[in-house]
Amino acid sequence: VRYDWVSFTTDYGTADGFVAACKGVLAAIAPAARVLDVTHEIGPADIRRGGTVLAQTVGYLPAAVHLAVVDPGVGTARRGVVLAAGSSLLVGPDNGLLTPAADALGGIAAAHELTEARYRLPVVSSTFHGRDVFAPAAAHLANGVPVAALGPAIDPATLVRLPRPHTSVRPGELTSEILNADRFGNLQLAADADDLRAFGGKPGDRVSVRHRRAGVDAVLVDTFGDVPPGALLVYVDSAGQVALAVNGGSAAEALGGRVGDVTITQVVQQ
Amino acid sequence: VRYDWVSFTTDYGTADGFVAACKGVLAAIAPAARVLDVTHEIGPADIRRGGTVLAQTVGYLPAAVHLAVVDPGVGTARRGVVLAAGSSLLVGPDNGLLTPAADALGGIAAAHELTEARYRLPVVSSTFHGRDVFAPAAAHLANGVPVAALGPAIDPATLVRLPRPHTSVRPGELTSEILNADRFGNLQLAADADDLRAFGGKPGDRVSVRHRRAGVDAVLVDTFGDVPPGALLVYVDSAGQVALAVNGGSAAEALGGRVGDVTITQVVQQ
Amino acid sequence: VRYDWVSFTTDYGTADGFVAACKGVLAAIAPAARVLDVTHEIGPADIRRGGTVLAQTVGYLPAAVHLAVVDPGVGTARRGVVLAAGSSLLVGPDNGLLTPAADALGGIAAAHELTEARYRLPVVSSTFHGRDVFAPAAAHLANGVPVAALGPAIDPATLVRLPRPHTSVRPGELTSEILNADRFGNLQLAADADDLRAFGGKPGDRVSVRHRRAGVDAVLVDTFGDVPPGALLVYVDSAGQVALAVNGGSAAEALGGRVGDVTITQVVQQ
């Protein structure tokens, strides 16, 4: 199978030449492949964030080799891997970065360690495996090299997985970890639409949202425009997660932070 | 008509997967189309800035479907639209974002509301119409679907337009709103080359520039190198607007800000 | 010779439409060319940084027209040039930006000044030669226009070169200027692997690193994982330069800065 697309996710930033060097390697080995950047602004070494962004985006990408590198363990014994999932492949370090996207694509059908020297650059640095190991592997896979040629099969159960973020829910009370704060200050929780159903309530219900500060009043709604400007809302976001936003403002500011647990409590109507 | 190019302008930033999800949707529906990013760093909800950047850039882009999403009203009654202008199409929310670029392209030849469900994703979220409504519409239009198939014609006169930024000019005095401060600290005014002609003066003339602070001396010139390092200059920039710069420095810093009105006064030669 | 690729390096940032306007010009003149962005986040007017990033990346890029614009002298008498080096061309201002990459590609085989009006836009602004002069030249060169058609040959010895950054080394002591701090806070020095060989020492040796602060202990190693988390390491980075890093942290923070000279001293083993 050949792939027209290589998606690309890193914590490299775009101020240095790191992303460009990887793209140059891709272009040299797989000139027909087209690169679709997911993001290169994952916080340095923030594996969880990289895994979450890729998992929430991958369902909207074409079948591709998904190249992802957030790799604080470069140069240590951590494995490089390729995972087959759905009609796509995932290439990167075995540190928990790839498994959420593999799950989102339907689960891991096969996993191989990247050990075969012929699918690396001739000289492999100790600190930049994105360029020297992962990009060449992704390019050869895009060219149709079978996953089994990259190295020995490994048991998917041995792949590193990050602990699940915390969520607990019962009718009228939901506590969940903040998964992400986006550019607009919207806070995405680890809880998803199913959790919100378990919480109960219906559009228009008033709730109280506690973060570090005392509770802030909010309303359960479908979208920003359902509350007045400046009001806090609880909704299911475009990735299917429970999220907090302020219409025309920033929930991160309103609640005083971007990390930790949030508790949403049903306000009993008088 | 098919389009080889889709240009793409948003306030999504590039740290999340929003831009990538839209590009994935474009790739799935219109795999032959090539995406040219204008910018994704419009300030959150800054419709005026998005409209200005697109309008000043569009004349240098190839004929394209120009997809632009700065959309604080997502999920409310604001319309989604496609405008035909020159040999291009513009797709996005009807909130004033698209009309300046349509004017720059020669005016609006046709406008249609995006109502046709077959040109959206099967499930449309309440908060991410870039991915679910606008990118699919842009992709189908790039594929050659005629604008009239996207939804009913609307009267261009009913399109939302932002108020024009303020400029007043008479010989020897020009007052104009700051339209933009770029990365170099150059301040672009709403006044254009015609306004500067109405102001009068000739290259080398001394002027006084007032912002909030007391007046700063400046010189009317063609380019940075026409004044000594550190000096303030007034010139017509590469978009045809009157602009203020400091040779080797930042006009935004020299004048103490990036917003508000600036007044330029001819200094009478002794 | 035609080129499939145009690489693109600037200090334009991506918040304005500058990069997009240049890409639009490239697309109009050379629609078959593919653009590979190196970076657009070179600090405003930081010619040395632009030249360094391009030189360290270019060896991993395909044969291309390398378009680079960091151009504080736009509109002055500085020349625009095209350099032939290796199997690539370099296009940009003659201010020291292009020569390091030309050297990395094997040296300058030919140099021509960009004077030919037919390979510029019809109207050339005083302040945006990236769009009006350099992008059109790069596009025509990608189309196969020979370098000699762009303007008269110039003597490579007359090209502007920046002074070399400072490095001095003797056995047991190496002093070198910080060339760059990357996103991870790793500090890259002007000294390279040869300099480290002249310094001496072997993996595992303890050294002392002095910046402005008093000396910080470090270890000579191959990669991050060879020292405990939080420890400072001295290594040869993926570009072949001597670099300082903190495993899981930031050397820039540990040493109190990103600019100036660093001195590495061998610690005599007791």
Side-chain angles (χ1 to χ4, degrees):
Chain A
V1 190
R2 296 178 64 91
Y3 291 86
D4 291 335
W5 292 95
V6 175
S7 89
F8 196 15
T9 306
T10 73
D11 66 347
Y12 291 159
T14 51
D16 298 289
F18 304 138
V19 167
C22 294
K23 290 183 178 178
V25 170
L26 290 168
I29 299 171
R34 296 163 74 185
V35 178
L36 196 161
D37 295 300
V38 175
T39 178
H40 301 291
E41 295 170 40
I42 300 299
D46 191 345
I47 299 167
R48 180 186 292 282
R49 173 84 182 117
T52 301
V53 170
L54 185 57
Q56 294 187 359
T57 306
V58 78
Y60 293 91
L61 302 182
V65 180
H66 301 294
L67 170 61
V69 190
V70 178
D71 192 17
V74 61
T76 68
R78 70 98 187 87
R79 300 182 291 193
V81 294
V82 51
L83 313 182
S87 50
S88 286
L89 302 177
L90 296 138
V91 171
D94 174 26
N95 61 11
L97 178 68
L98 306 178
T99 47
D103 293 346
L105 288 166
I108 302 168
H112 288 261
E113 190 175 354
L114 303 173
T115 57
E116 184 53 61
R118 92 180 73 172
Y119 300 121
R120 302 177 163 199
L121 292 197
V123 176
V124 174
S125 69
S126 317
T127 52
F128 192 5
H129 286 193
R131 180 191 68 190
D132 302 336
V133 175
F134 298 122
H140 286 291
L141 291 163
N143 281 345
V145 172
V147 293
L150 277 288
I154 54 182
D155 179 354
T158 68
L159 292 168
V160 173
R161 283 178 177 273
L162 296 184
R164 278 179 179 281
H166 170 247
T167 293
S168 62
V169 63
R170 56 184 179 77
E173 186 172 297
L174 183 157
T175 297
S176 182
E177 199 174 324
I178 297 173
L179 211 57
N180 185 41
D182 71 16
R183 185 179 202 224
F184 303 92
N186 303 330
L187 297 174
Q188 183 185 62
L189 304 186
D192 62 15
D194 286 341
D195 295 314
L196 194 64
R197 273 188 286 275
F199 169 84
K202 56 181 191 311
D205 277 5
R206 288 174 52 219
V207 296
S208 175
V209 175
R210 271 205 323 274
H211 187 222
R212 295 166 185 169
R213 298 187 186 180
V216 177
D217 286 340
V219 190
L220 285 187
V221 294
D222 283 336
T223 190
F224 310 114
D226 295 341
V227 300
L232 187 69
L233 56 139
V234 176
Y235 66 110
V236 176
D237 75 5
S238 62
Q241 303 297 120
V242 177
L244 308 169
V246 167
N247 185 14
S250 162
E253 270 178 37
L255 290 167
R258 296 169 169 257
V259 291
D261 275 13
V262 164
T263 298
I264 304 172
T265 317
Q266 185 84 36
V267 172
V268 180
Q269 312 285 329
Q270 312 281 327
Chain B
V1 190
R2 297 177 64 91
Y3 291 86
D4 291 334
W5 292 94
V6 174
S7 88
F8 195 17
T9 307
T10 73
D11 65 349
Y12 290 160
T14 51
D16 298 290
F18 304 138
V19 166
C22 294
K23 290 183 178 178
V25 169
L26 290 168
I29 299 172
R34 298 164 74 185
V35 178
L36 196 162
D37 294 300
V38 175
T39 178
H40 301 291
E41 294 170 41
I42 300 300
D46 191 346
I47 298 167
R48 179 185 293 280
R49 172 85 183 119
T52 301
V53 170
L54 185 57
Q56 294 187 358
T57 307
V58 77
Y60 293 92
L61 303 183
V65 180
H66 301 294
L67 170 62
V69 190
V70 177
D71 192 18
V74 62
T76 67
R78 70 100 188 85
R79 301 181 291 193
V81 295
V82 51
L83 314 181
S87 50
S88 287
L89 302 177
L90 296 138
V91 172
D94 174 25
N95 61 12
L97 178 66
L98 305 178
T99 46
D103 293 346
L105 289 166
I108 303 169
H112 288 260
E113 190 175 354
L114 303 174
T115 57
E116 184 55 60
R118 92 180 74 174
Y119 300 121
R120 301 176 164 200
L121 292 198
V123 176
V124 174
S125 68
S126 317
T127 53
F128 193 5
H129 286 192
R131 180 190 68 190
D132 302 337
V133 175
F134 298 122
H140 286 292
L141 291 162
N143 282 345
V145 171
V147 293
L150 277 287
I154 55 183
D155 178 354
T158 68
L159 293 167
V160 172
R161 284 179 177 271
L162 296 184
R164 279 180 178 281
H166 170 248
T167 292
S168 62
V169 61
R170 56 186 180 79
E173 186 174 297
L174 182 157
T175 296
S176 183
E177 200 175 324
I178 297 173
L179 212 55
N180 185 43
D182 70 16
R183 185 179 203 224
F184 303 93
N186 303 330
L187 297 174
Q188 184 184 61
L189 304 186
D192 62 15
D194 285 342
D195 295 314
L196 194 64
R197 271 188 287 274
F199 169 86
K202 57 182 190 310
D205 277 6
R206 289 176 51 220
V207 296
S208 174
V209 176
R210 269 204 326 273
H211 187 222
R212 294 165 185 168
R213 299 188 185 179
V216 177
D217 286 341
V219 190
L220 284 188
V221 294
D222 282 337
T223 190
F224 310 114
D226 295 340
V227 300
L232 187 68
L233 56 139
V234 176
Y235 65 112
V236 176
D237 75 5
S238 61
Q241 303 298 120
V242 177
L244 308 169
V246 167
N247 185 15
S250 162
E253 269 179 38
L255 291 167
R258 297 171 168 254
V259 291
D261 275 13
V262 164
T263 298
I264 303 172
T265 317
Q266 185 84 37
V267 173
V268 180
Q269 312 285 331
Q270 311 283 325
Chain C
V1 190
R2 296 177 65 91
Y3 291 87
D4 290 335
W5 292 95
V6 175
S7 89
F8 195 17
T9 306
T10 73
D11 65 348
Y12 291 159
T14 52
D16 298 289
F18 304 137
V19 167
C22 294
K23 289 183 178 178
V25 169
L26 290 169
I29 299 172
R34 297 164 75 185
V35 178
L36 196 161
D37 294 300
V38 175
T39 178
H40 301 292
E41 295 170 40
I42 300 300
D46 191 346
I47 298 167
R48 178 184 293 281
R49 173 83 182 119
T52 301
V53 170
L54 185 57
Q56 294 187 358
T57 306
V58 78
Y60 293 91
L61 302 183
V65 180
H66 301 294
L67 170 62
V69 190
V70 177
D71 192 19
V74 61
T76 67
R78 70 97 187 87
R79 301 182 290 193
V81 294
V82 51
L83 313 182
S87 50
S88 286
L89 302 177
L90 296 138
V91 172
D94 174 25
N95 60 13
L97 178 67
L98 306 178
T99 46
D103 293 345
L105 288 166
I108 302 168
H112 288 260
E113 190 174 354
L114 304 173
T115 56
E116 185 53 60
R118 91 180 74 173
Y119 300 121
R120 302 176 164 201
L121 292 197
V123 176
V124 174
S125 69
S126 318
T127 53
F128 192 5
H129 286 192
R131 179 190 70 190
D132 302 338
V133 175
F134 298 122
H140 286 292
L141 291 163
N143 281 345
V145 171
V147 293
L150 277 287
I154 54 182
D155 179 353
T158 67
L159 293 167
V160 173
R161 284 179 177 271
L162 296 184
R164 280 181 177 282
H166 170 247
T167 293
S168 62
V169 62
R170 54 184 180 80
E173 186 172 298
L174 182 157
T175 297
S176 183
E177 200 175 325
I178 298 173
L179 212 55
N180 186 42
D182 72 16
R183 187 179 199 224
F184 303 93
N186 303 330
L187 297 174
Q188 183 184 62
L189 304 186
D192 62 15
D194 285 342
D195 294 314
L196 195 63
R197 270 188 288 275
F199 170 85
K202 58 182 188 310
D205 278 6
R206 289 175 52 220
V207 296
S208 176
V209 176
R210 269 204 327 274
H211 187 223
R212 293 165 187 170
R213 297 188 188 180
V216 176
D217 286 341
V219 190
L220 284 188
V221 294
D222 282 336
T223 190
F224 310 114
D226 295 341
V227 301
L232 187 68
L233 55 139
V234 176
Y235 66 111
V236 176
D237 75 5
S238 61
Q241 304 297 120
V242 177
L244 307 169
V246 167
N247 185 15
S250 163
E253 270 179 37
L255 290 167
R258 296 169 169 257
V259 291
D261 274 13
V262 164
T263 298
I264 303 172
T265 318
Q266 185 84 37
V267 172
V268 180
Q269 311 287 329
Q270 311 283 327

